Amino acid sequence: MEVCDLAKRIIVAFIFSPVMLWIMLVPPPLAWTALVCFISAMAAFELLRAVGEEKITLPMRVVTMASAALLPFGSWAGLGMAYVNLLSFVVMAACFWCAIRAYDEGGVKIGFSHVLACLFGGVIIPLALSALVELRRMDHGQYLVLLAVLLTFATDAGAYFAGVFLGKHKGVTKVSPNKSLEGYIGGFVSGVVFAILYGIVASKIAGDSVNLLPLALCGLFGALATEVGDLAFSFIKRQYGVKDYGHLLPGHGGMLDRFDSMMFCGPVVLFIVQCLPVF
C-alpha cells in the first residue's frame, strides 16, 4: 500500500468511524436507521455496477436502490413480512418487465443473472443490514448493535495478525489465496475473546448483569459469519474482475468493501441474542 493511500485510509477512518459510532449510539434509533438505509442503497448500487456492466438498465437500478433503502426503514417501523414481500415483488416484477421489454425490442439482452443481481441488491443485502436496525431497537440496543459492528473488526484484526505472525498453511481457498488456516483460526479465537471481554465491559458501563453464554456464541458464530461474508464478496470481485466495489470512502473502497462482513455477522448476532438474551 502506497503512503498516499495509507494516509487517505487513516484520515477517512478517523473521520468516518467516530461519526458512524455517534449516530449509532447517541441519537434515537431513527438516525441509525437512516444511515443504514443510505449504506444499503449505496451497497446495492455498487453491486449492480460491479456485476451488471451496461446491461442493468436505469429503471432496474432505481427500483433496486429504492427497495434497498426502504427495507431497513420497514424494520425500524415494524412493518413486518408483508412489507418485505411487497418490496420483493416490486423489484422482481419491475426487473423481469425490463428484461422482457429488452428481449422484445432486440436491444440490450438482460439476462436472468442480472435480474437475480437486482433481487440480491434490492432484497437480500438490505434484509441482512436490517439486522443492525433490529439490534438497535432492542433493550440495551446500543450495546448489542455495537457488539455486532465491533465483532467484525475484531475478527478481521485477529485473522490478519494471526496470518502475518503465524500463517504457514496458505491457499485454503483460491478466492483469498494469501489467507492462511492460522489466520482463520485466529479470527475465530479473537471473535470469542472479544465478545466475552466486551460483555464484561458493557456490564460495568450499563450497570446490569450480562449472560456470557450468548456473547461467547456471538463471538464464535459471528466470527465464522464474518469470515464467510468476506470470502463471499471476494468471490464476486474475482468473478467479475473488480478490485474495489466503489470509491466513496477513499482508501477503503465502497460501502460493500466496508460492510460486507456485517451483512453476514449482523443476522447471526440478532438471532442469538433474540434466543438467548444478553442482558
Side-chain angles (χ1 to χ4, degrees):
M1 183 181 294
E2 297 181 0
V3 175
C4 182
D5 291 336
L6 179 60
K8 289 180 181 178
R9 191 179 185 93
I10 294 173
I11 291 171
V12 170
F14 269 105
I15 296 173
F16 180 73
S17 297
V19 172
M20 187 184 76
L21 288 174
W22 184 86
I23 294 174
M24 184 192 308
L25 302 176
V26 179
L30 180 58
W32 172 242
T33 301
L35 179 58
V36 173
C37 290
F38 172 75
I39 292 170
S40 181
M42 291 306 302
F45 170 78
E46 291 168 356
L47 177 74
L48 297 188
R49 183 173 57 184
V51 308
E53 301 172 346
E54 77 284 352
K55 293 186 178 181
I56 296 180
T57 63
L58 180 60
M60 295 171 71
R61 293 175 189 268
V62 170
V63 73
T64 299
M65 291 179 64
S67 176
L70 290 172
L71 271 173
F73 174 79
S75 292
W76 170 82
L79 297 180
M81 282 305 301
Y83 180 76
V84 174
N85 291 337
L86 174 62
L87 287 179
S88 301
F89 170 77
V90 169
V91 174
M92 180 171 61
C95 291
F96 268 117
W97 177 250
C98 290
I100 292 167
R101 294 302 303 159
Y103 187 86
D104 289 344
E105 294 169 1
V108 176
K109 291 186 178 180
I110 302 171
F112 181 52
S113 62
H114 300 113
V115 176
L116 291 182
C118 291
L119 281 169
F120 188 84
V123 178
I124 303 300
I125 284 178
L127 277 179
L129 287 172
S130 293
L132 301 177
V133 174
E134 292 291 335
L135 286 167
R136 182 63 178 85
R137 293 176 64 238
M138 296 175 68
D139 291 336
H140 297 92
Q142 300 96 320
Y143 300 102
L144 296 177
V145 71
L146 186 61
L147 167 65
V149 171
L150 294 184
L151 178 58
T152 61
F153 291 112
T155 301
D156 288 340
Y160 173 78
F161 286 111
V164 169
F165 294 107
L166 302 174
K168 294 181 179 179
H169 301 86
K170 295 186 178 182
V172 177
T173 170
K174 293 181 180 179
V175 170
S176 294
N178 292 325
K179 293 185 178 180
S180 65
L181 176 61
E182 292 80 4
Y184 288 117
I185 294 173
F188 296 146
V189 173
S190 64
V192 175
V193 172
F194 166 79
I196 293 174
L197 292 177
Y198 178 87
I200 294 172
V201 173
S203 68
K204 300 295 183 183
I205 297 174
D208 202 350
S209 60
V210 168
N211 185 359
L212 293 181
L213 175 59
L215 285 167
L217 292 175
C218 285
L220 178 61
F221 293 104
L224 175 62
T226 294
E227 296 189 340
V228 171
D230 181 63
L231 287 173
F233 283 93
S234 293
F235 167 76
I236 297 173
K237 283 183 180 180
R238 287 195 174 274
Q239 189 169 23
Y240 289 93
V242 176
K243 183 177 182 295
D244 291 318
Y245 283 106
H247 306 284
L248 188 62
L249 302 172
H252 293 264
M255 289 298 178
L256 267 182
D257 297 290
R258 291 299 90 200
F259 291 91
D260 52 358
S261 298
M262 292 181 201
M263 295 177 198
F264 281 67
C265 182
V268 171
V269 172
L270 176 63
F271 176 77
I272 292 173
V273 300
Q274 284 179 332
C275 295
L276 298 171
V278 174
F279 292 93

